[in-house]
Amino acid sequence: MTSLEILAATTGGAHLNPVKLFLDADIVVQLVMGGLLLASVWVWTIILSFSLRVGSLKRRNRAYEDGFWQAKDMEAFHKENSGGEVPSAKVVGAALGEWRRSLALKQLDREGTRQRLSAVMGSVVEQESDRLGDRLNFLATVGSAAPFIGLFGTVWGIMNSFFQIGQQQNSSLAVVAPGISEALFATAIGLFAAIPAVIAYNRFSSAVNHFEARLQRFADRFHTTLSRELEAE
């Protein structure tokens, strides 16, 4: 006996037994259930990893920004604190690089420099936001597709139950109920995968948008600082 069969045998028969429902289901329904369970595991992996990642990014970003605005020499502060994955530091690094290249030109174009600074910082903000939310599309896919995949398993299981009725020439509830229970279990697993995926996608999308807005405000403030420096050149 396999471990699943042992688990199904040891579970009380008076109550709904998910393991037994899985083992007794048609092979197609089993494949649907297995795929949905794998998707659910991956969804929870993304939820946990994203929660840890966004929390760490916010803390590092906040510490960098607080120190940056308090520093007397912003460029020196950046050199000392630019290590690691800190999105705000990447914005500053890109802006300072463009700043040096613009000042190295024979003739300084103040308006052109402002535009290039804005473009390069905006590009980094978008890149960091995309990198943060790169796995959220999977949550959206599972949230929208999992119920229909589960429904496919349910329809297939019910079709198989009706086929068994025809084979056995018996339409009693005892013949139909097990197959229908197995089929409906596929829909339940689909919802089990989809519900947390939808909730997490909506919550995390909002977190990414909030993070992008905060990073853009930091970039705008630094752009203003550099613009004032340009006036003194």
Side-chain angles (χ1 to χ4, degrees), residues 106-143:
K106 293 181 179 180
Q107 185 175 0
L108 179 61
D109 180 3
R110 289 182 173 81
E111 186 57 34
T113 299
R114 289 191 183 94
Q115 292 178 1
R116 288 191 296 271
L117 286 170
S118 178
V120 74
M121 286 192 286
S123 177
V124 174
V125 169
E126 292 179 3
Q127 181 180 359
E128 291 303 308
S129 299
D130 290 342
R131 184 177 300 174
L132 180 61
D134 60 352
R135 291 184 178 182
L136 298 189
N137 286 336
F138 182 79
L139 297 180
T141 301
V142 172

Side-chain angles (χ1 to χ4, degrees), residues 210-229:
H210 179 76
F211 182 83
E212 182 178 5
R214 180 185 177 90
L215 196 58
Q216 186 61 56
R217 288 194 297 269
F218 173 79
D220 291 341
R221 186 178 175 184
F222 187 46
H223 183 271
T224 302
T225 301
L226 293 178
S227 295
R228 285 196 297 267
E229 292 292 329

Side-chain angles (χ1 to χ4, degrees), residues 64-65 68-69 74-79 81-82 86-100 117 120-121 124-125 215 218-219 222-223 226:
Y64 178 88
E65 291 177 11
F68 183 80
W69 295 124
M74 292 180 175
E75 190 167 357
F77 175 86
H78 174 71
K79 288 181 180 179
N81 298 273
S82 58
V86 182
S88 293
K90 294 182 180 180
V91 171
V92 172
L96 290 178
E98 180 59 39
W99 172 264
R100 297 189 194 98
L117 286 170
V120 74
M121 286 192 286
V124 174
V125 169
L215 196 58
F218 173 79
F222 187 46
H223 183 271
L226 293 178

